[in-house]
Amino acid sequence: METKVAIIKDIDKDIEYLIEAAKIIHNGGIVAFPTETVYGLGGNALNAKAVEKIFKAKGRPQDNPLIVHVSSKEINYLVSEVPEVAQKLIDKFWPGPLTIILNKKDIIPNETSANLDTIGIRMPNSNIALKLIELSGYPIAAPSANISGRPSPTEVERCIEDLNGKVDYILGGEKSNVGVESTIVDCTVYPPMVLRPGGITLEMLQEVCKGIKIDKAIQGKPDENLRPKAPGMKYRHYAPKAKLKIIKGNKQKTIEKINEIVQNYIENQKEVAILSTDELCSNFNSGKVISLGSEKNLYDVARNLFESLRECDDLNVDVILCQAFDEEGVGLAIMNRLNKASGFDILEV
Ligand code: AMP
Ligand code: MG
């Protein structure tokens, strides 16, 4: 398949590309496009055939449902009910990195929801994404625009790397500002449950509804006997090609342990990359050191996380060592992605 790539520098001047991409979605094709969380791979959420193309292009497991992206807060045509707490969350956080799970109406095909009775819906905070949805005339089902299992793309080059030749159109635009996928809150239960942490933190959600809780599966390694609430929770996700190891402990011990492990690998002729923060980077004696940003601003770390994992793969290293972060605020989302990307390979020191 031939994939057209177009980059939007100015949304008004480059509107022809948006119209072209929107037509493709309108006619059942699939398009990669920017959002503020990560790039998405979108198709008409109401068209089962379009949705099947998304699964095929990504190599995504069939039982992992898609999130439906909308350009307005008016979603009654998609869901059977919007409970009061869901409405409050929508009013406060949309457009933004928050996906709400609600009971779906039949207009949403089972292919989109992976046979669940529920559907995740989000209004992205990206002018390009909002315009694309509006012009296509349909809600857009979109998972992240990567090959299933790989780190999500936050820049258009990474979409091209993964999807060129597999999708109809790749629309480039700004770098994703949040850098990790949306927070998912299940509002079909009370109190609502966070199924995936993201840019809207637990603390922010609890300001709207005190009772909101975190699903246990988010923090620890998933229990193989428990059926996960969100199908996506059970998959190894976000993973670089190199082996990723997380080192968790106080600063001094983390530095010492990383230096020790790097030395061991180097003696065994292995290439190692270290992912750390501005504050710690100068303490490492060898290995390829990449800073994720300052520990004082974990939003920077979130924004740089996936791109840095892909940079490590570009460097062809065998192993990536990454320091752990406090699981507060957006740190919870960062650690959730690192835990999964490493297959829960966490060394406590
Ligand atoms: P991604 O494809 O990376 O955007 O991931 C979408 C995530 O949303 C997956 O982890 C899904 O399991 C989750 N998700 C989407 N729809 C639902 C739903 N109806 N119920 C629970 N989780 C959902
Ligand atoms: Mg994904």
Side-chain angles (χ1 to χ4, degrees), residues 151-169:
S152 304
T154 53
E155 301 182 12
V156 67
E157 288 77 13
R158 301 305 187 177
C159 300
I160 299 171
E161 197 173 284
D162 277 20
L163 298 176
N164 197 19
K166 297 188 172 142
V167 303
D168 297 296
Y169 207 101

Side-chain angles (χ1 to χ4, degrees), residues 38 58 60 64 143-146 149-150 152 181 196 237-238:
V38 301
K58 285 192 53 140
R60 183 179 175 94
N64 197 4
S144 49
N146 51 277
R150 298 270 300 138
S152 304
E181 301 81 354
R196 177 172 76 186
H237 255 119
Y238 323 118

Side-chain angles (χ1 to χ4, degrees), residues 89 93-94 96-100 121-123 182-183 185 200 205:
L89 292 170
F93 296 114
W94 281 12
L98 178 67
T99 296
I100 309 265
I121 306 188
R122 173 170 109 83
M123 181 178 176
S182 59
T183 305
V185 178
I200 303 292
L205 294 168

Side-chain angles (χ1 to χ4, degrees), residues 5 11 21 57 72 97 125 134 158 164 178 193 198-199 201 255 271 279 294 298 313 340:
V5 179
I11 196 164
S72 128
N125 187 17
E134 201 182 298
R158 301 305 187 177
N164 197 19
V178 179
M193 274 285 185
T201 63
I255 294 166
E271 298 274 346
E279 287 79 5
S294 168
L298 288 188
D313 279 344
K340 288 194 157 200

Side-chain angles (χ1 to χ4, degrees), residues 60 64-67 101 116 118-120 143-144 184 195-196 230-232:
R60 183 179 175 94
N64 197 4
L66 306 184
I67 291 172
I101 308 274
L116 298 174
T118 57
I119 191 72
S144 49
I184 301 183
L195 302 185
R196 177 172 76 186

